[in-house]
Amino acid sequence: MTQVSKEIKIRYDEVEKALNKVKTSTGLIGLTAPSIEGSNELNAVTKIIDINKDLVTLAQSYQALLLANIEATQSSVETMKETDEAISASIKRGHA
């Protein structure tokens, strides 16, 4: 029978690296619609232009939401780390 550890270990440095990688990647999201306007006034071109503008707005909203979630996750991880350190210090004081 194997014994399962009840300890949860968070690798804070790895979490931070992953969050920073995602944060950096959000800057790579293309947020500009290509200009296909010109003398062509076809209805299809107008619809494509509108769709491209909507897509840019959606991408900007997604990027803002993703960055907000990254910040919230970083804050939570920092709080967990501080709590873990406080508990560890308390346990060490109790054994001293």
Side-chain angles (χ1 to χ4, degrees):
M1 179 187 294
T2 59
Q3 183 178 2
V4 178
S5 175
K6 293 182 182 180
E7 183 177 1
I8 297 173
K9 292 185 179 183
I10 298 174
R11 295 183 179 143
Y12 298 105
D13 58 332
E14 290 181 28
V15 172
E16 282 298 320
K17 284 180 190 176
L19 290 173
N20 286 332
K21 185 176 180 180
V22 173
K23 186 183 278 188
T24 301
S25 297
T26 61
L28 301 177
I29 298 172
L31 299 177
T32 57
S35 177
I36 57 174
E37 296 181 68
S39 60
N40 190 345
E41 293 296 324
L42 294 174
N43 191 30
V45 172
T46 302
K47 287 183 180 182
I48 291 172
I49 291 169
D50 290 341
I51 290 170
N52 280 337
K53 288 177 183 176
D54 290 343
L55 184 59
V56 167
T57 301
L58 180 63
Q60 289 170 333
S61 296
Y62 174 76
Q63 185 180 37
L65 180 61
L66 186 59
L67 289 172
N69 284 334
I70 289 169
E71 294 297 323
T73 302
Q74 287 175 322
S75 177
S76 294
V77 168
E78 185 60 33
T79 300
M80 283 185 240
K81 183 177 179 181
E82 290 169 359
T83 302
D84 187 42
E85 290 169 352
I87 291 170
S88 177
S90 176
I91 292 170
K92 287 178 183 175
R93 280 194 303 267
H95 287 0

